[in-house]
Amino acid sequence: MRLSDLPKGAPAVVDRVDDAHAADPIAQRLRDLGFVDGEPVRVVAIGPVGADPLLIQIGSTRFALRRTEAARVTVRQEAA
Amino acid sequence: MSATALRIALVGNPNCGKTALFNLLTGGRQKVANYAGVTIERKEGRFTTPSGRVLQILDLPGTYSFDANSPDEQITRDVLEGNYPGEAAPDLIVCVADATNLRLHLRFVLEVKRLGRPVVLALNMMDAARRRGIVIDVPELQRRLGIPVVETVAVKRGGAAALVERVDGDMPVAAAASLDDGPSRANLHVQVRELLAATVSMPRQTAELDDALDRWALHPVFGLLILGVVMFLVFQAVYAAGKPMTDLIGDGFGWLGDHAAASLPVGPIKSLVVDGLFGGIGTVIGFLPEILVLFFFILLLEESGYLPRAAFLLDRLMMSVGLTGRSFIPLLSSFACAIPGIMGTRSIQDPRDRLATILVAPLMTCSARLPVYALLIGAFIPMHHVLGIFNLQGLVLFALYAAGILGAMAVGWVIKRIHRDKSEHALLMELPSYRMPKPRDIAIGLWERASIFLKRLTGVILALTIIMWAISTFPGPPAGATGPAIDYSIAGYMGHYLQYIFAPLGFNWQISLSLIPAFAARETAVAALATVYAVGGDSDTVGLAHALAANFSVASALSLMVWFAFAPQCMSTLAVIRRETHSWRNVAISFGYMFVVAYVASLLTYQIARLFA
Ligand SMILES: Nc1nc2c(ncn2[C@@H]2O[C@H](COP(=O)(O)OP(=O)(O)OP(=O)(O)O)[C@@H](O)[C@H]2O)c(=O)[nH]1
Ligand SMILES: [Mg+2]
């Protein structure tokens, strides 16, 4: 499942980040920021207009990502 | 200079407290605020350790990784790798990490370690970490990392004692360089996880307070409502709290002016002192309280951590007009002054977003325009109360600020249309923890602003005011002249000539003339008007508002306010645009579009207002 489709508040873990095109700097930066396999993530807030951007909690950090950015991240939802 | 000074660079992820640490060590006053990307330039300072060792300390922009994206991060990377022009790599790297967020920050520490240079890790924000019950096994962390680790609290006096002791002692040994790039880089996160598991215990991933506040601040409905109320209250407060103090200062200067007038012999000197200095400068200084109230709120917002939240809420809206949520903070600083605002755009990675932000930043009402607005509003807008609580003067002020913002949206939209591109624009913005602003920091910030204002006042504004006085006084009228003396002065001629251009906007010659010095510094328009009217004999030292009300229609006043909302910014702003974009073309575009917009908007305002008057 993509991070951009994850419901608000649902716990999940990162699977991988895909390059949207060759040498995608945004994907590389996401990996640098800790979006790597096995890292727990959660959507904590959703922007007021067009449900964009998303506020993502990863570790102790909160990042605002646009949907297009979040779509690069594939997540696994943990069994509830 | 001295070859003996040990050179230390402070590096780390954004917002971990590098600049706070720098200020604590060097006694500097660099800007500290609670959002990522505050420091955008390399800053240097000196510090002498208790044992007499002289250290040269470098503060650098924060960066998440060496894969530098934006111009400010590039600087950090160049300095560390010894590629910065005219500078060798530092002798010692102090890597600063936020102890409450080690999962993110330790990765960069490992990356820095791989440079193979001497590194010390400063675990900063230890006060906040302790409050949250985070326990870090420092000796174990030190052992595993193989570099010295010290705890610091950059916002407390003596909070860097452990770090000072460390750098004053023996040089830490250089960590081993690891040169294999590919695999080990991806491996960093695995290493971080191991380190955390072995050395850090966290009762909770996040601060409870942050979660609670964000539930409201980022709520789709309440969040926007709160944002609107916050912004609106700031502008009401600027007017409501600033005005009484302004009047007090005005009265004080009037009194001083009268005394000076009584004690000086009649002649050019008396005219210069009374009309030029007390009339001109005295009027401008009266607006210091409004400016300080505005800064008070800006500092409060900056330090609280609310600004990136506002950027989050507004990102989509700003995107639809060709900007980005990241433009929000530079644009908000432009309410203080467009110059730091434009420089702050360096933290925007996307070149198009950055240029668009630079072009619209001058439309934000800078604090130098506040005296002009305050003067005109005071003279022409009645002190009504609307709906019981709002005062009409505050509302007009709010409307002028809103005009700038709407103008910026329109311009951004046009740029987006012209500059079509399909490439993706990233946001990727970190939201910091909320922090309680410290009264002392706010006080220092205000003091800083007040002294900048007073320096401007006694420098460029004073010089321009004296020039305005001189050209309104000389040459004197020829023998047997009948009209007012000022009509024969240089100012009189220039003003009347300029009026051909500005008459359709409802500006009389005095106003038209005052627009020239306003181009050097906005506030000077007020001083210039005060001087011209005082020399012309229409006004005593403090009666500028009355002189304007007597000589000027409401339609003209509205038109002038609109002019100031859009007109081309001051020269220093144009110079900064040139410096930041390396292009005269952008300067020309920016000047040109603002002149046209201001002219058309004022023309419409004047002609429409006249119909209703
Ligand atoms: N509680 C606490 N707050 C701190 C400490 N050090 C810094 N801060 C706060 O953290 C925020 C960021 O501090 P800065 O010094 O601007 O951070 P920076 O690393 O220079 O940030 P950039 O220049 O954006 O990279 C400010 O709000 C500081 O007041 C600390 O030791 N304890
Ligand atoms: Mg800084």
Side-chain angles (χ1 to χ4, degrees):
Chain A
M1 176 160 57
R2 289 172 196 279
L3 179 56
S4 47
D5 300 325
L6 190 69
K8 187 176 149 188
V13 293
V14 175
D15 188 37
R16 60 171 199 282
V17 179
D18 294 314
D19 287 10
H21 47 84
D24 180 1
I26 298 176
Q28 183 51 44
R29 174 129 294 205
L30 285 170
R31 286 188 279 264
D32 286 349
L33 292 176
F35 289 85
V36 289
D37 184 23
E39 210 62 40
V41 283
R42 207 157 51 89
V43 177
V44 283
I46 294 178
V49 187
D52 201 18
L54 304 172
L55 185 62
I56 309 293
Q57 162 104 39
I58 180 154
S60 305
T61 325
R62 284 166 301 256
F63 287 110
L65 301 185
R66 294 204 179 126
R67 280 188 173 276
T68 49
E69 292 159 51
R72 288 177 169 83
V73 182
T74 308
V75 297
R76 301 187 292 270
Q77 231 175 318
E78 281 171 345
Chain B
M1 287 297 136
S2 85
T4 53
L6 189 69
R7 293 168 48 260
I8 297 183
L10 296 171
V11 300
N13 283 11
N15 210 36
C16 63
K18 298 173 295 297
T19 305
L21 205 54
F22 174 86
N23 287 348
L24 183 69
L25 290 171
T26 63
R29 294 262 173 97
Q30 296 304 326
K31 184 178 165 115
V32 168
N34 192 10
Y35 57 84
V38 180
T39 307
I40 43 163
E41 279 174 324
R42 165 194 169 284
K43 285 276 153 72
E44 105 184 31
R46 268 171 186 282
F47 169 65
T48 312
T49 63
S51 75
R53 208 165 178 178
V54 181
L55 308 178
Q56 187 202 42
I57 307 209
L58 282 184
D59 182 25
L60 293 168
T63 179
Y64 288 110
S65 80
F66 280 141
D67 211 18
N69 265 323
S70 54
D72 53 343
E73 291 178 318
Q74 187 76 43
I75 296 176
T76 302
R77 181 178 151 175
D78 288 348
V79 169
L80 288 191
E81 293 182 342
N83 293 332
Y84 193 82
E87 186 167 314
D91 300 313
L92 172 66
I93 299 172
V94 172
C95 198
V96 185
D98 176 352
T100 63
N101 194 1
L102 287 176
R103 188 175 295 270
L104 179 66
H105 289 225
L106 273 184
R107 202 200 78 97
F108 187 67
V109 176
L110 295 177
E111 214 174 324
V112 170
K113 220 184 80 174
R114 290 173 57 217
L115 290 173
R117 308 194 59 84
V119 185
V120 171
L121 169 59
L123 290 176
N124 192 36
M125 312 221 183
M126 278 310 292
D127 55 334
R130 270 184 217 115
R131 251 199 319 274
R132 279 175 46 187
I134 298 171
V135 179
I136 303 172
D137 182 349
V138 176
E140 178 61 15
L141 187 61
Q142 179 162 300
R143 197 186 63 76
R144 287 182 174 248
L145 281 173
I147 58 173
V149 179
V150 294
E151 300 185 2
T152 58
V153 181
V155 291
K156 206 180 76 187
R157 196 167 302 181
L163 177 64
V164 170
E165 198 183 315
R166 182 69 232 184
V167 295
D168 206 12
D170 306 328
M171 263 296 263
V173 269
S178 54
L179 298 166
D180 51 328
D181 204 80
S184 78
R185 200 172 147 186
N187 244 352
L188 293 179
H189 281 291
V190 179
Q191 284 186 48
V192 168
R193 245 179 251 169
E194 288 166 11
L195 282 169
L196 288 176
T199 61
V200 179
S201 95
M202 275 180 115
R204 241 175 147 270
Q205 284 294 335
T206 54
E208 259 163 295
L209 179 71
D210 290 349
D211 294 347
L213 288 176
D214 276 346
R215 254 195 293 285
W216 292 98
L218 300 180
H219 188 277
V221 179
F222 293 113
L224 285 178
L225 211 65
I226 293 170
L227 179 63
V229 170
V230 167
M231 292 297 152
F232 186 78
L233 285 181
V234 170
F235 296 119
Q236 283 280 323
V238 166
Y239 214 78
K243 188 73 170 59
M245 288 189 264
T246 299
D247 292 345
L248 214 67
I249 296 177
D251 290 347
F253 267 84
W255 182 83
L256 279 177
D258 290 346
H259 272 256
S263 58
L264 286 169
V266 176
I269 295 295
K270 172 171 173 169
S271 159
L272 173 63
V273 170
V274 175
D275 299 339
L277 300 187
F278 286 101
I281 298 295
T283 314
V284 181
I285 203 174
F287 294 101
L288 181 58
E290 267 100 340
I291 291 172
L292 289 185
V293 172
L294 178 70
F295 274 101
F296 174 77
F297 285 104
I298 290 184
L299 288 168
L300 215 61
L301 287 173
E302 281 183 343
E303 187 58 24
S304 67
Y306 181 67
L307 293 184
R309 267 89 188 169
F312 172 83
L313 291 172
L314 295 177
D315 178 60
R316 187 55 190 260
L317 208 69
M318 298 185 80
M319 212 169 112
S320 65
V321 294
L323 299 167
T324 145
R326 281 183 175 270
S327 316
F328 179 79
I329 294 176
L331 290 181
L332 192 99
S333 355
S334 301
F335 282 113
C337 173
I339 293 167
I342 288 171
M343 287 171 52
T345 61
R346 285 189 202 170
S347 61
I348 302 176
Q349 285 136 14
D350 190 275
R352 192 206 68 180
D353 287 348
R354 177 158 182 244
L355 181 61
T357 311
I358 289 176
L359 289 181
V360 303
L363 288 174
M364 303 296 115
T365 303
C366 65
S367 60
R369 269 173 264 192
L370 205 50
V372 181
Y373 289 165
L375 174 74
L376 292 170
I377 290 175
F380 291 95
I381 309 295
M383 188 73 178
H384 275 321
H385 278 264
V386 182
L387 301 174
I389 42 169
F390 305 124
N391 83 52
L392 185 61
Q393 298 187 328
L395 282 178
V396 170
L397 189 66
F398 184 69
L400 286 165
Y401 276 86
I405 296 169
L406 292 176
M409 292 171 77
V411 172
W413 186 82
V414 171
I415 296 173
K416 186 177 158 188
R417 291 273 121 171
I418 298 174
H419 221 292
R420 267 171 207 276
D421 62 359
K422 294 260 186 313
S423 69
E424 186 182 349
H425 306 286
L427 178 63
L428 254 180
M429 177 179 65
E430 184 182 350
L431 267 57
S433 274
Y434 287 100
R435 259 187 261 287
M436 195 57 167
K438 296 210 171 37
R440 187 169 160 273
D441 294 340
I442 303 275
I444 291 176
L446 285 179
W447 171 249
E448 206 87 315
R449 289 317 304 192
S451 50
I452 290 174
F453 180 79
L454 292 177
K455 265 194 213 113
R456 263 165 80 82
L457 197 64
T458 49
V460 58
I461 300 177
L462 178 64
L464 287 170
T465 305
I466 292 175
I467 293 172
M468 286 309 285
W469 169 83
I471 65 169
S472 340
T473 308
F474 304 108
T482 47
I486 197 165
D487 281 358
Y488 299 93
S489 68
I490 301 173
Y493 281 107
M494 283 171 56
H496 287 296
Y497 190 70
L498 280 172
Q499 211 192 346
Y500 289 116
I501 309 175
F502 291 110
L505 314 186
F507 298 173
N508 62 18
W509 73 261
Q510 289 94 335
I511 303 274
S512 308
L513 182 70
S514 73
L515 299 181
I516 298 179
F519 189 58
R522 305 285 188 139
E523 308 94 323
T524 322
V526 171
L529 278 176
T531 307
V532 171
Y533 275 112
V535 172
D538 290 331
S539 155
D540 58 15
T541 38
V542 286
L544 181 57
H546 298 294
L548 285 179
N551 284 291
F552 215 48
S553 69
V554 176
S556 297
L558 290 174
S559 160
L560 181 59
M561 286 192 258
V562 169
W563 171 266
F564 268 89
F566 297 117
Q569 58 277 25
C570 60
M571 283 182 294
S572 347
T573 308
L574 292 175
V576 168
I577 294 181
R578 157 83 187 108
R579 207 178 71 200
E580 294 291 313
T581 65
H582 308 292
S583 143
W584 283 110
R585 187 166 159 265
N586 289 331
V587 175
I589 291 174
S590 149
F591 180 89
Y593 96 77
M594 293 186 84
F595 190 91
V596 172
V597 170
Y599 198 91
V600 172
S602 295
L603 184 69
L604 290 177
T605 308
Y606 180 62
Q607 301 301 344
I608 293 170
R610 248 185 4 164
L611 293 181
F612 289 95

